[in-house]
Amino acid sequence: MIPYSDFLFFLIIGILFIPTIILGLLGKSARKYNMLISIIVLALIFGLDMKDFTVNWKSAISILLFTLFQVLLIKGYHTYRMTKNNTQVFIIAVLLAILPLVLVKVLPFFNLHIFGFLGISYITFKAVQLIMETRDGMMKKKQVPISELIYFLLFFPTVSSGPIDRWKRFDKDFQTVPTKDEYRELLLKGINSIFLGFFYKFILAFLLYNKILVFLPNRTYDVLNGLEGHIAYMYIYSLYLFFDFAGYSCFALGVSYIMGIRTPKNFNLPFISRNIKDFWDRWHMSLSFWFRDYVYMRFVFWMMKKKWIKNRYVISYIGYFLLFLLMGVWHGLALHFVVYGLYHAFLIICFDKFERWNKKTKFWKDNKFTHAISIFITFNFVCFGFYIFSGALF
């Protein structure tokens, strides 16, 4: 069963959430019950094939073995870190954590489909995050209960496509029982978010895809005279991608709120971004912030510490290429994903150079007119990036 894909999924979780809502409105803890229904929903997501209502043993076994592997790795490194701090052990732990994801991404390239399941990327990101935060001393508990660790890794509202939460923030919500008034506010926010998700995903995204987008490739050269067809496809695909993914994120946030977890939002009006850096502070924020904090910042810090390159701007630019190349490859090994990542690295570097030059020359002054022009320029560069991402360019 794919989360948030049809009415049946919402019906099931709606029924399961009745005790959660009652307990929350009474100001009582629903943690244990929420953990129980999480097991039920996860079993439906990973164990049930809705096409013929059969058990998907491959997916079920994959998620069980993968979770067991990650939990043992995290607990093992956590125990080790309490007494020692060896960099090589840390690197090995991180590499082992991402190994299953790498295999899932690489093996299909050789036409090998051995294992894999929905959401393996986001669970991997959480596992790597926990290992890194353990090294940084952010996980101060002597021992994190395995049940809480699994609940964080497999939190079903966000398990398939995020947003990616942080352990410290998630654990704080998990340990705190909202008051009646606090839960009532969370419940209303959750319901509003779910309805907004329906509007985004099942109305706007549906209409853009089924009524317009699917017909453009066949009409590009016959009716829309080539270039016009590609331009139309670029803008419509960009809007479709936003409403489809933002709709899913609204569902994830809404369901999380009902469970008492304030999952961070993923989108913040990305199409009114003033520049490409502002865009990545607004688009798929949990993923972009994750890559920024756990890839870019650590790479830059490591390079500055080693002093192999003295120019900090060169280090930063190499970090941008590494960051966006990884983000592109994470989507897949196809050429258009790689080019998409490199394209955004190029945009970030160009803007950084322009920004530093503008601080000296004061060429581009900040006013209402330049603000509007900046949004227009950024929007078009972003849409062209999505056009590359779609694969239509190649």
Side-chain angles (χ1 to χ4, degrees):
M1 176 179 286
I2 300 176
Y4 316 119
S5 62
D6 52 34
F7 177 75
L8 179 60
F9 182 84
F10 288 96
L11 177 63
I12 292 172
I13 63 173
I15 295 171
L16 291 173
F17 275 160
I18 293 174
T20 298
I21 295 171
I22 293 173
L23 289 170
L25 292 174
L26 292 175
K28 297 182 179 180
S29 174
R31 284 180 298 188
K32 292 183 179 180
Y33 177 74
N34 286 340
M35 293 176 77
L36 173 63
I37 65 174
S38 293
I39 296 173
I40 297 172
V41 177
L42 287 170
L44 293 174
I45 293 173
F46 296 107
L48 183 63
D49 190 338
M50 292 301 297
K51 292 181 180 179
D52 51 9
F53 290 95
T54 57
V55 177
N56 189 340
W57 290 108
K58 182 179 178 180
S59 177
I61 293 173
S62 292
I63 183 66
L64 287 173
L65 292 177
F66 174 81
T67 303
L68 177 63
F69 172 76
Q70 295 290 4
V71 168
L72 290 176
L73 184 61
I74 294 166
K75 295 290 287 185
Y77 182 73
H78 188 265
T79 302
Y80 170 84
R81 182 65 180 85
M82 289 173 64
T83 56
K84 298 179 182 179
N85 184 21
N86 186 291
T87 302
Q88 292 181 340
V89 174
F90 164 70
I91 293 173
I92 292 172
V94 170
L95 292 176
L96 286 174
I98 65 174
L99 179 61
L101 176 60
V102 172
L103 292 175
V104 166
K105 295 292 184 180
V106 172
L107 289 179
F109 188 75
F110 300 99
N111 201 29
L112 295 173
H113 302 270
I114 299 176
F115 63 93
F117 54 89
L118 184 70
I120 186 173
S121 297
Y122 292 91
I123 302 173
T124 300
F125 292 150
K126 287 183 179 181
V128 171
Q129 169 194 319
L130 286 169
I131 293 172
M132 290 186 171
E133 290 185 353
T134 297
R135 174 181 168 81
D136 296 341
M138 295 176 66
M139 292 184 65
K140 297 180 180 180
K141 286 185 179 181
K142 290 185 178 181
Q143 288 294 337
V144 178
I146 291 179
S147 58
E148 293 181 22
L149 188 60
I150 295 175
Y151 189 60
F152 171 68
L153 290 175
L154 302 181
F155 187 57
F156 89 80
T158 63
V159 71
S160 61
S161 298
I164 307 171
D165 209 344
R166 303 297 174 94
W167 164 257
K168 188 175 181 180
R169 201 219 60 75
F170 180 91
D171 187 56
K172 181 180 178 181
D173 281 357
F174 179 76
Q175 300 297 340
T176 303
V177 179
T179 64
K180 295 179 182 179
D181 292 337
E182 288 174 340
Y183 185 77
R184 188 179 298 110
E185 183 180 350
L186 275 176
L187 179 61
L188 290 175
K189 287 178 64 178
I191 293 173
N192 286 336
S193 185
I194 290 173
F195 274 103
L196 182 62
F198 273 108
F199 177 65
Y200 279 177
K201 187 174 179 65
F202 293 125
I203 296 179
L204 294 180
F206 176 85
L207 291 175
L208 285 169
Y209 186 83
N210 289 279
K211 301 301 181 182
I212 303 176
L213 205 59
V214 293
F215 299 109
L216 277 178
N218 296 327
R219 299 172 61 186
T220 295
Y221 298 102
D222 297 335
V223 180
L224 298 177
N225 298 320
L227 181 60
E228 294 88 344
H230 283 278
I231 293 174
Y233 184 87
M234 178 180 79
Y235 289 119
I236 294 170
Y237 179 80
S238 298
L239 293 174
Y240 159 73
L241 194 65
F242 167 72
F243 286 120
D244 185 72
F245 200 5
Y248 165 85
S249 295
C250 286
F251 292 145
L253 263 63
V255 174
S256 298
Y257 291 157
I258 294 173
M259 297 178 73
I261 302 295
R262 298 172 178 83
T263 296
K265 62 182 181 180
N266 241 353
F267 296 93
N268 182 24
L269 304 175
F271 289 142
I272 64 167
S273 303
R274 294 173 291 109
N275 54 65
I276 197 65
K277 284 186 178 179
D278 187 31
F279 171 77
W280 281 108
D281 285 339
R282 294 169 177 266
W283 176 271
H284 205 346
M285 295 184 292
S286 66
L287 181 67
S288 62
F289 293 166
W290 190 94
F291 272 99
R292 179 198 65 189
D293 295 344
Y294 297 106
V295 177
Y296 174 78
M297 293 302 296
R298 289 175 185 268
F299 171 80
V300 170
F301 176 77
W302 178 68
M303 289 294 288
M304 295 286 284
K305 184 178 180 181
K306 293 294 183 181
K307 297 181 180 180
W308 290 340
I309 300 175
K310 294 183 179 180
N311 190 317
R312 62 189 179 95
Y313 295 116
V314 173
I315 294 174
S316 178
Y317 297 157
I318 295 173
Y320 283 135
F321 270 109
L322 175 64
L323 167 67
F324 286 101
L325 179 62
L326 285 175
M327 287 184 69
V329 170
W330 168 69
H331 286 96
L333 296 178
L335 177 62
H336 56 277
F337 293 135
V338 176
V339 174
Y340 171 77
L342 295 177
Y343 170 78
H344 273 281
F346 176 75
L347 292 183
I348 287 281
I349 292 171
C350 287
F351 175 74
D352 183 78
K353 285 182 173 292
F354 170 80
E355 192 176 36
R356 289 191 287 113
W357 173 78
N358 193 54
K359 285 181 180 180
K360 296 178 181 178
T361 63
K362 305 296 182 182
F363 170 78
W364 193 261
K365 300 183 185 299
D366 189 15
N367 54 54
K368 291 183 179 180
F369 176 75
T370 57
H371 185 88
I373 295 297
S374 297
I375 291 175
F376 176 77
I377 293 172
T378 304
F379 175 74
N380 281 277
F381 274 108
V382 165
C383 287
F384 184 71
F386 288 139
Y387 177 64
I388 295 173
F389 180 85
S390 72
L393 183 63
F394 301 98

